[in-house]
Amino acid sequence: MINKDLLRQKVEESGIKYTHIAKCLGITERGLKYKINGGSQFKADEIGKIRDILRLDPETLSAIFFTNDVA
């Protein structure tokens, strides 16, 4: 399970649009939001691309994608 609130916060802080992120991932914006909301899991390559797009440090990346303690 991902920390969707932290991911959304980082997207907002970056100023990058969801449409751009989705395009870079090769999915639709709707598909991206579906994944953010827990409808399906992000693939490893998608996580890597999001890391690069949002310039996430390892701690933040881990806090978003690799935590079991999500409210």
Side-chain angles (χ1 to χ4, degrees), residues 14 56-58 61:
S14 74
L56 299 174
D57 60 65
L61 184 73

Side-chain angles (χ1 to χ4, degrees), residues 2-62:
I2 70 163
N3 185 330
K4 62 184 176 184
D5 293 330
L6 182 55
L7 179 55
R8 287 182 182 135
Q9 175 188 338
K10 293 300 177 182
V11 171
E12 288 177 24
E13 288 175 0
S14 74
I16 298 171
K17 304 287 184 193
Y18 285 99
T19 52
H20 176 73
I21 297 169
K23 185 176 180 180
C24 291
L25 298 179
I27 61 177
T28 64
E29 183 179 358
R30 183 176 178 185
L32 174 61
K33 289 184 177 181
Y34 185 74
K35 287 181 180 231
I36 291 172
N37 288 318
S40 66
Q41 294 183 346
F42 284 94
K43 298 177 188 173
D45 65 317
E46 293 171 333
I47 293 171
K49 288 177 184 177
I50 291 171
R51 178 199 62 216
D52 295 343
I53 294 165
L54 298 178
R55 298 180 179 169
L56 299 174
D57 60 65
E59 280 185 22
T60 304
L61 184 73
S62 182

